[in-house]
């Protein structure tokens, strides 16, 4: 105590009787105790020496009676059964019983012990199987999902590629007719807005009149850029490399 050896107990030290209890073996019931005694002494479970087994069993029951009388009651019932079996084996057999092979008084006890041992071994096997929250933990991943659709941003390169596709199609239908045509950007802007009012989305390529030739397509494209600059229209794309759509940036009254 306090770094010094304690060679003599203090006279004023009070130790309660139940302050220290040592349990050398813990058993789950009378059958568990009997099976332990049989395996410890290497007894043949099919030919149990009842005298030795009963004596060892009663010694253990006497120990638990001193500390836990309620627990001892269950073991006393098995002790009475062992004494009964031992007494039946000590009784002399009559001649009629010798002629007819009599049942072994230990047969019922052996059957119960074998069944208990099978169940106990099966319980050990089940306990060896990995269990959730004991041997491993399930991994849980939470993914936050938003209900608001996030449209990909249209890059300049995407708009340029769409424009190049339209130009390629326009060159395929061009005519060798020389004429002077006055084209108005404002007029095409008005035409695009009118067309978008009648539908929710229009594909980018559908806004161009390919039959009008390259000049009409160019003016129409300039009108489209002016509308986007003035934030009158929105150019959207559902996903990368998907078709480009145009819609009004406001809801008409």
């Amino acid at each position: 105590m306090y770094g010094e050896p304690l060679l003599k107990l203090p006279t004023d030290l009070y130790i309660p009787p139940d302050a220290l209890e040592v349990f050398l073996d813990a058993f789950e019931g009378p059958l568990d105790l009997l099976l332990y005694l049989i395996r410890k002494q290497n007894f043949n479970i099919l030919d149990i020496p009842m005298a030795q087994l009963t004596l060892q069993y009663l010694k253990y029951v006497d120990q638990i009676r001193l500390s836990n009388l309620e627990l001892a009651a269950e073991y006393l019932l098995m002790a009475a059964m062992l004494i009964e079996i031992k007494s039946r084996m000590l009784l002399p057999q009559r001649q009629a019983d010798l002629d007819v092979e009599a049942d072994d008084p230990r047969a019922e006890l052996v059957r119960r012990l074998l069944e208990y041992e099978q169940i106990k071994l099966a319980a050990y096997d089940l306990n060896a199987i990995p269990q959730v929250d004991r041997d491993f933990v399930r991994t849980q991943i939470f993914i936050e999902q938003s209900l608001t659709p996030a449209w990909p941003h249209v890059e300049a390169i995407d708009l340029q590629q769409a424009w190049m596709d339209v130009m390629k199609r326009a060159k395929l239908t061009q005519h060798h007719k020389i004429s002077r045509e006055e084209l108005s950007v404002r007029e095409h802007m008005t035409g695009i807005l009118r067309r978008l009012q009648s539908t929710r989305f229009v594909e980018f390529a559908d806004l161009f009149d390919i039959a009008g030739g390259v000049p009409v397509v160019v003016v129409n494209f300039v009108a489209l850029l002016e509308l986007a600059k003035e934030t009158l229209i929105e150019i959207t794309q559902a996903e990368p490399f998907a078709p480009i759509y145009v819609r009004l940036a406001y809801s008409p009254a």
Side-chain angles (χ1 to χ4, degrees), residues 57 66 135:
Y57 183 87
L66 300 177
D135 302 308

Side-chain angles (χ1 to χ4, degrees), residues 1 9 34 41 100 139 146 171-172 177 190 200 239:
M1 183 177 294
L9 290 177
L34 284 176
Q41 301 297 326
V100 179
T139 302
S146 177
K171 291 180 179 180
L172 294 177
K177 181 180 180 181
T190 304
R200 186 175 181 185
E239 59 184 4

Side-chain angles (χ1 to χ4, degrees), residues 40-71:
K40 182 180 179 181
Q41 301 297 326
N42 292 326
F43 293 153
N44 184 2
I45 196 171
L46 300 178
D47 189 15
I48 302 174
M50 297 303 302
Q52 300 181 38
L53 181 62
T54 304
L55 181 61
Q56 296 178 13
Y57 183 87
L58 291 176
K59 287 182 180 180
Y60 181 85
V61 173
D62 290 338
Q63 293 178 5
I64 63 175
R65 286 177 60 188
L66 300 177
S67 59
N68 193 336
L69 185 60
E70 182 179 356
L71 179 62

